């Protein structure tokens, strides 16, 4: 079995919520849906993949769980939580873990947040450590995004 360990899916309505996407890039600045992804998998002889968060908002997690629920070729998904948020990092991780009780949530395997421009001092703070430990205790890997 060949598994793509990192791919994104996004509908057109989230494009403007992804600040990393170049405004003048016609390849990236368009919807990429599950049907197109399935065709690309078939064309490249890839059997399955892990879908990754691409919008920095907890609402993204419901969308990812829905993709996982509807596609047997999505073996796992990595959701979003603002781990650096002292106010609600732990609560966001708890919300992410709560999705495991819903269809598609059983494929949740990790959590990620942008760290490229973040000095990551929050990882040494009690709230930051609590959020990371809550994710680890829930069996989630921490996928860092260095942009």
């Amino acid at each position: 079995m060949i598994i793509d360990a990192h791919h994104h899916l996004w509908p057109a309505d989230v494009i403007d919520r992804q600040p990393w996407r170049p405004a003048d890039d016609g390849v990236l600045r368009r919807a990429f849906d599950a049907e197109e992804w399935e065709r690309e998998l078939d064309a490249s002889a890839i059997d399955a993949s892990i879908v990754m968060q691409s919008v920095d908002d907890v609402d993204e997690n419901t969308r990812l769980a829905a993709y996982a629920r509807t596609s047997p070729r999505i073996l796992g998904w990595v959701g979003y939580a603002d781990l650096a948020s002292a106010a609600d990092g732990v609560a966001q991780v708890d919300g992410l873990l709560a999705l495991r009780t819903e269809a598609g949530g059983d494929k949740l395997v990790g959590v990620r947040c942008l760290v490229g421009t973040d000095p990551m001092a929050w990882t040494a703070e009690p709230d930051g450590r609590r959020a990371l430990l809550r994710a680890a205790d829930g069996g989630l890997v921490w996928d860092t995004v260095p942009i």
Side-chain angles (χ1 to χ4, degrees):
M1 176 177 273
I2 299 173
I3 300 170
D4 178 346
H6 182 125
H7 88 273
H8 299 281
L9 296 172
W10 54 75
D13 65 338
V14 303
I15 290 172
D16 289 331
R17 294 174 48 210
Q18 298 167 316
W20 55 267
R21 186 188 301 273
D24 61 348
D25 189 328
V27 173
L28 287 176
R29 196 161 183 79
R30 65 176 186 83
F32 186 68
D33 62 25
E35 293 79 23
E36 182 179 358
W37 166 73
E38 295 260 353
R39 288 191 303 274
E40 293 295 330
L41 288 182
D42 292 339
S44 60
I46 294 173
D47 299 302
S49 72
I50 308 297
V51 67
M52 307 297 282
Q53 163 273 341
S54 66
V55 177
D56 297 339
D57 191 305
V58 295
D59 293 341
E60 169 87 338
N61 299 326
T62 303
R63 184 172 64 84
L64 296 173
Y67 286 136
R69 178 179 63 249
T70 59
S71 176
R73 295 178 82 177
I74 293 176
L75 299 182
W77 59 277
V78 175
Y80 174 80
D82 185 358
L83 299 173
S85 173
D88 61 1
V90 171
Q92 287 188 23
V93 171
D94 285 342
L96 184 59
L97 291 169
L99 289 173
R100 282 193 165 153
T101 63
E102 300 177 16
D106 58 324
K107 295 181 181 181
L108 173 65
V109 296
V111 61
R112 65 190 234 146
C113 58
L114 296 176
V115 298
T117 59
D118 182 347
M120 296 180 45
W122 60 271
T123 61
E125 297 297 324
D127 289 329
R129 286 195 306 272
R130 273 192 286 280
L132 284 170
L133 287 171
R134 184 70 55 99
D137 289 346
L140 301 181
V141 298
W142 177 31
D143 183 85
T144 58
V145 184
I147 60 168

